Amino acid sequence: TPNMKIKLFLEMMTWKNISLQDSASPLMEQLNYFHDHTLMILLIITVLVAQLMISMFFNKFTHRYLLEGQIIEVIWTILPTLTLIFIAIPSLRLIYILDEINNPMITIKTIGHQWYWSYEYSDFKSIEFDSYMIPTNELKIFNFRLLDVDNRIAAPFQSQIRMLITATDVIHSWTIPSLGVKIDATPGRLNQTTFSLNRSGLFFGQCSK
């Protein structure tokens, strides 16, 4: 209708982007939080170790009792253990969240071939198609080179979507970075993953193998 406005978001990497893409799913939001949490811990460790090394290089003080110190040895054994625990607990929580399948509304079967993907909507009869990358000489002005395809898959947003992924020839990897999805397509093996879209949009990914 004329009064209805649909905002279309385009998710892909841009030039000079050194960070993660904007999240478009709850899973990717959690991955972003974990990424920032881990980087903060690494930054604290880096600054602390750099400060200690610089102070050792530039001062001439010595400690005549430093050859034996049980207290400092206990401290520098316990502190790395606590640091690893602070990283491991949210990491394990995230692993279980990524593997959880919650009553999917729709199932899409994805088959990897060399140079193209095949898709089947298992909940409907006879909805299956191949998705080829558009050749460079056939690109329109609004297409993206090495990203756009002739047949895109359509998925509902704010719904649980299950992907069943396999391959026919070699190992592929079905990847959508903004959704936090990356799963291998292996011949003779059926892998599955799930995701949910926060908003409508056009999301790009590439095979990571």
Side-chain angles (χ1 to χ4, degrees), residues 59-148:
N59 74 63
K60 301 187 185 321
F61 297 113
T62 58
H63 197 301
R64 58 178 180 166
Y65 300 117
L66 198 62
L67 293 177
E68 186 176 343
Q70 280 79 18
I71 295 178
I72 190 65
E73 289 178 1
V74 170
I75 290 174
W76 70 42
T77 302
I78 291 177
L79 283 181
T81 305
L82 294 177
T83 304
L84 290 176
I85 289 174
F86 277 115
I87 296 176
I89 290 177
S91 175
L92 291 172
R93 170 182 168 272
L94 197 54
I95 288 174
Y96 282 105
I97 290 176
L98 291 173
D99 283 339
E100 191 173 357
I101 307 292
N102 290 323
N103 298 324
M105 177 175 289
I106 188 172
T107 300
I108 304 174
K109 185 178 179 182
T110 306
I111 304 171
H113 309 269
Q114 286 189 334
W115 308 113
Y116 72 99
W117 293 88
S118 296
Y119 295 99
E120 300 175 7
Y121 286 78
S122 304
D123 300 300
F124 306 93
K125 296 180 176 178
S126 72
I127 298 184
E128 54 185 61
F129 55 89
D130 296 331
S131 181
Y132 288 88
M133 187 168 56
I134 300 177
T136 303
N137 58 349
E138 297 179 10
L139 288 174
K140 303 291 191 299
I141 192 65
F142 50 82
N143 291 136
F144 295 99
R145 179 176 173 270
L146 301 180
L147 285 176
D148 253 315

Side-chain angles (χ1 to χ4, degrees), residues 146-161:
L146 301 180
L147 285 176
D148 253 315
V149 294
D150 55 358
N151 290 316
R152 299 169 177 165
I153 65 168
F157 67 99
Q158 295 182 351
S159 304
Q160 283 291 330
I161 303 163

Side-chain angles (χ1 to χ4, degrees), residues 8 10 25 40 50-54 58 62 68 70 76 81 101 103 106 133 147 160 173 186 189 195 199 203 207:
L8 185 66
L10 183 67
S25 71
M40 181 57 66
Q51 190 271 335
L52 290 174
M53 293 182 67
I54 291 172
F58 290 101
T62 58
E68 186 176 343
Q70 280 79 18
W76 70 42
T81 305
I101 307 292
N103 298 324
I106 188 172
M133 187 168 56
L147 285 176
Q160 283 291 330
S173 185
T186 308
R189 182 183 178 91
F195 60 88
R199 59 179 185 266
F203 308 104
C207 179

Side-chain angles (χ1 to χ4, degrees), residues 28-38:
M28 190 58 193
E29 287 181 5
Q30 294 295 321
L31 289 170
N32 275 333
Y33 294 150
F34 177 69
H35 172 265
D36 296 340
H37 167 77
T38 308

